[in-house]
Amino acid sequence: MKRTIGLAAVLLLAGMGSALAQDGDVEKGEKVFKKCKACHTVGEGAKNKVGPLLNGIVGRAWGTIEGFKYSKDLLAQAEEGKVWDDATLDAYLKKPKDVIPKGKMAFPGLKKDEDRVNVIAYLKTFSE
């Protein structure tokens, strides 16, 4: 007898797989973060550069790093109560201009899903 599973079961399994993938690999994320170091810092003694320091970025409200001059577009969206959660960071790291069209970030993005998940895992190690 041939067995089939319904669409709902497939979607449930797919969702579980993506939830597991969200754990990320911190060591791989640290390697990918090297692409970000030209503009951003993390860790003890982190300071704003071309981009804001990223300590505590996961879960933080947009536009709240003291002393950093954010774009008007980011600040306008910050007034809506935006927060840098996993999903927002993933979308931003994939293609920054899709999230903040007139933002300052010139980096085109990280195309690989795995790279973005790993970078987010790495950034989570710098919670405040």
Side-chain angles (χ1 to χ4, degrees):
M1 178 165 84
K2 188 175 182 181
R3 291 188 153 202
T4 61
I5 60 174
L7 179 59
V10 170
L11 293 174
L12 176 64
L13 291 171
M16 286 180 8
S18 64
L20 293 173
Q22 293 303 314
D23 292 337
D25 183 311
V26 173
E27 288 181 16
K28 288 181 181 177
E30 182 177 13
K31 289 178 184 172
V32 176
F33 187 78
K34 289 178 182 178
K35 296 177 182 182
C36 311
K37 282 186 170 186
C39 299
H40 297 280
T41 60
V42 291
E44 191 174 330
K47 296 181 181 177
N48 294 328
K49 293 171 72 175
V50 173
L53 67 94
L54 297 178
N55 290 345
I57 185 74
V58 182
R60 184 172 62 219
W62 286 25
T64 57
I65 293 294
E66 195 171 317
F68 186 77
K69 185 172 169 49
Y70 292 96
S71 69
K72 290 179 184 177
D73 199 16
L74 183 142
L75 292 174
Q77 291 190 53
E79 290 180 15
E80 299 171 11
K82 299 262 184 161
V83 173
W84 290 113
D85 58 20
D86 286 18
T88 305
L89 278 167
D90 182 63
Y92 187 70
L93 291 171
K94 183 175 184 177
K95 194 167 182 186
K97 295 295 183 189
D98 282 355
V99 177
I100 307 172
K102 295 179 183 174
K104 291 181 172 184
M105 187 137 128
F107 186 71
L110 299 170
K111 302 304 175 208
K112 294 181 182 176
D113 294 341
E114 180 182 358
D115 285 349
R116 294 190 309 275
V117 168
N118 292 337
V119 166
I120 293 168
Y122 175 67
L123 291 172
K124 284 180 177 179
T125 67
F126 299 97
S127 298
E128 294 182 322

